[in-house]
Amino acid sequence: MGMIYLQCVVMLLYCSYVHGKKTGALQSSCNDMTPGHQSTAQTSPAPYRVVVGKTKYTGGDTISVTLQKTASKQFRGYLIQARNQAGTKIAGFNLIANSKYLPCDSPKGAVTHTEASDKDSVTFQFTAPQTSQGNITIFTTAVENYNTYWVMIKSDTIIDSVATGASSRFLPNCVLVIVSLFCFHLKRH
Ligand SMILES: *[C@@H]1O[C@H](CO)[C@@H](O)[C@H](O)[C@H]1NC(C)=O
């Protein structure tokens, strides 16, 4: 009796595990963007590319982001994120048919597929953040099939037309100076 029960639990867990893949990437894939499949990522150049509609943004711009095949290989699954140079994931994708958000750092931090049909391309609209976030790159993982996938395919950089190196370093520098002054003050007393 106990044995059968255990087998049922294992089966159920296995089913939900497989189900999770067909219906999109899991949260454990947020950082390295690697599916939890047993095989390792392909190291050959990806037969897919990420094309962005703009390579410069100001706050609130809408930028199209297309993942597409470059040869004959279609893809079944994908995980798409926008990140700035510090590696922060930037929300801003809309949803299209058969897609959903994957919470990665924020509730809408990434988008992924909800079904595993073969696809030539998918196009999302990305709304650039209202406040300057530095240069942004789109990172994509594309899954051809369970054992064959390419991780972190990069788009061209979308340059922040507001931020210069100076403005993005201004705030951290300020904090550093204030903390230093504070420590200095403590030391003297
Ligand atoms: C963003 O990219 C541009 C062009 O490569 C570069 O000049 C600029 O310094 C970058 N911004 C930051 C904050 O590094």
Side-chain angles (χ1 to χ4, degrees):
M1 183 63 190
M3 199 62 191
I4 289 174
Y5 179 70
L6 187 69
Q7 279 173 356
C8 282
V9 170
V10 169
M11 285 273 285
L12 276 176
L13 284 177
Y14 181 74
C15 288
S16 62
Y17 173 81
V18 170
H19 184 71
K21 308 297 164 164
K22 286 220 168 100
T23 59
L26 302 179
Q27 250 176 306
S28 54
S29 302
C30 279
N31 290 329
D32 61 10
M33 298 189 76
T34 300
H37 306 177
Q38 247 140 45
S39 50
T40 54
Q42 301 296 305
T43 52
S44 58
Y48 313 111
R49 69 176 159 227
V50 191
V51 180
V52 291
K54 284 182 187 167
T55 51
K56 206 164 220 195
Y57 78 90
T58 51
D61 276 359
T62 302
I63 302 164
S64 67
V65 172
T66 300
L67 169 65
Q68 61 189 201
K69 62 175 190 176
T70 54
S72 58
K73 287 178 197 290
Q74 294 176 301
F75 56 92
R76 292 180 185 164
Y78 58 84
L79 174 63
I80 303 178
Q81 284 175 7
R83 296 188 186 185
N84 69 9
Q85 290 156 291
T88 305
K89 300 171 193 79
I90 317 260
F93 288 104
N94 70 337
L95 286 185
I96 59 171
N98 303 325
S99 73
K100 67 178 179 186
Y101 291 114
L102 181 69
C104 285
D105 296 353
S106 67
K108 298 179 177 180
V111 285
T112 186
H113 61 284
T114 57
E115 49 73 50
S117 65
D118 287 320
K119 301 160 187 58
D120 290 338
S121 72
V122 288
T123 298
F124 288 86
Q125 300 301 323
F126 176 77
T127 304
Q130 290 294 342
T131 55
S132 178
Q133 298 279 337
N135 296 344
I136 293 175
T137 304
I138 310 298
F139 289 89
T140 297
T141 287
V143 177
E144 183 195 350
N145 60 46
Y146 189 82
N147 288 315
T148 314
Y149 56 86
W150 285 262
V151 300
M152 297 187 93
I153 305 163
K154 281 162 71 172
S155 72
D156 286 344
T157 305
I158 307 166
I159 295 165
D160 184 338
S161 59
V162 177
T164 61
S167 69
S168 62
R169 272 192 286 272
F170 178 70
L171 193 63
N173 280 351
C174 264
V175 171
L176 204 67
V177 167
I178 290 167
V179 169
S180 306
L181 283 176
F182 183 70
C183 292
F184 183 69
H185 178 79
L186 281 183
K187 233 177 158 179
R188 286 182 39 166
H189 286 84

